[in-house]
Amino acid sequence: MNLEIIIPFLRKTNLFHDLSEQELKRVAEIAISRRISRRSILFTEGSEKECVYFIQKGLIKTFKTDENGHDQIVSFLSTGDMFPHIGFFHPHPYPATAEAIVDSRLLAIPVSQFETLMLNYPSIGIKMMTVLGDKIRELQEKIQGLTGQDVKHRVITLLLQLADQLGKFKDNICVIDLPMTHQEFAISVGTTRETVNRLLSQLNKEELLEVSRNQIIIFDLRGLKSQISSG
């Protein structure tokens, strides 16, 4: 892939935005372009970590599997996101399985080559660790914010997050292209499919949103937010 395409993309990512032009060029030189088709597994939980990925276009979900074989969705990742978050500084295997929800285009940076790069350019590692520290604090705040919330609050919070990350707005209507089952939705917020069905049906009756197999349409974003701000 052309460095003239990779470098501007890297510059826009949170992790690399503080790097100099020369530092960005060094990172871009070891980056590998990858395409992954819908429903394909990029890597599995516990496997040896070979690369850290950046999404140029697409949608990825990460999930963990418990001892009973049940999946728990960790996150949804979209254009510009990096995963795993502490991949360059953590020696352990991949912490979760990553699967493409739609056809996606990724930039892969091999961990071993990046470690060598940081030995030659220590400033890269120092700048990245500052950014990662901010990211960890952000994740901690999100976890604390979810503590004690009821199921309805968690469902609406997830819908608002998806709207913010993936929503396309037209005439005050937010369309989220996301092939996500009610079971996957339930796993994401830690509840049952039946509970999610009931809550989404209620929100539909209130004409706030409509959920289909491949799409979520939010007709009244302000009204949806008021459901939790008033509760």
Side-chain angles (χ1 to χ4, degrees), residues 36-50:
I36 180 169
S37 57
R38 178 177 180 269
R39 295 300 183 189
S40 295
I41 299 295
L42 185 60
F43 54 76
T44 57
E45 179 182 357
S47 60
E48 181 181 356
K49 184 169 53 192
E50 298 178 346

Side-chain angles (χ1 to χ4, degrees), residues 3 14 16 19 74 121 173 195 221 225:
L3 293 184
N14 288 333
F16 296 126
L19 268 58
V74 176
Y121 293 86
I173 294 175
T195 299
L221 195 62
K225 290 178 180 178

Side-chain angles (χ1 to χ4, degrees), residues 35-140:
R35 293 180 182 272
I36 180 169
S37 57
R38 178 177 180 269
R39 295 300 183 189
S40 295
I41 299 295
L42 185 60
F43 54 76
T44 57
E45 179 182 357
S47 60
E48 181 181 356
K49 184 169 53 192
E50 298 178 346
C51 296
V52 171
Y53 296 90
F54 295 81
I55 304 175
Q56 292 181 289
K57 185 178 181 181
L59 184 62
I60 303 289
K61 74 173 180 181
T62 61
F63 61 92
K64 298 176 74 70
T65 304
D66 65 22
E67 56 189 18
N68 296 316
H70 299 135
D71 293 338
Q72 179 179 3
I73 294 176
V74 176
S75 61
F76 291 98
L77 303 158
S78 56
T79 301
D81 285 336
M82 161 197 173
F83 62 103
H85 287 112
I86 55 174
F88 290 123
F89 301 98
H90 202 295
H92 295 169
Y94 287 117
T97 298
E99 178 184 350
I101 296 180
V102 299
D103 291 345
S104 301
R105 188 171 72 245
L106 311 173
L107 206 60
I109 298 182
V111 173
S112 60
Q113 292 185 45
F114 192 80
E115 289 174 347
T116 301
L117 183 63
M118 283 194 294
L119 290 174
N120 295 324
Y121 293 86
S123 58
I124 293 178
I126 293 171
K127 291 176 181 178
M128 288 174 56
M129 288 179 71
T130 301
V131 174
L132 286 173
D134 293 338
K135 182 66 176 178
I136 290 171
R137 282 194 294 273
E138 177 188 329
L139 292 173
Q140 287 174 334

